[in-house]
Amino acid sequence: MTTFASQTLAANSTSWLFTGVGVIVVAVLIGMFWFGSRRTARKRMPPQEHQPRADSWQTPDATQAPDTSDPDGRR
């Protein structure tokens, strides 16, 4: 038969084990994010070239007169 003291000792050592594993997992995750951010910062950006139709989504010039054919301003 196991005694209460041995059960407490086993539970206490198990909790320390899980705490240690948890700290190691957190440290590895933080290290991976740190390494990934450094690697991304060192990555060279591709050269910027002129893209055809790069300005196709620009708004119309303010010099154009608004359409006054509809009195409500709807199209």
Side-chain angles (χ1 to χ4, degrees):
M1 274 192 158
T2 59
T3 63
F4 179 73
S6 64
Q7 288 177 351
T8 303
L9 183 61
N12 193 17
S13 64
T14 304
S15 66
W16 280 107
L17 177 68
F18 284 133
T19 302
V21 169
V23 167
I24 290 171
V25 167
V26 168
V28 167
L29 288 173
I30 290 172
M32 287 172 46
F33 278 112
W34 176 74
F35 180 72
S37 65
R38 286 192 57 192
R39 188 173 176 194
T40 303
R42 287 187 299 190
K43 189 188 306 184
R44 294 185 190 184
M45 297 300 292
Q48 297 294 325
E49 299 174 3
H50 177 69
Q51 301 291 324
R53 297 182 45 89
D55 58 350
S56 64
W57 290 102
Q58 289 180 346
T59 57
D61 293 335
T63 58
Q64 292 178 346
D67 186 16
T68 58
S69 61
D70 187 13
D72 292 334
R74 291 185 268 167
R75 292 185 176 220

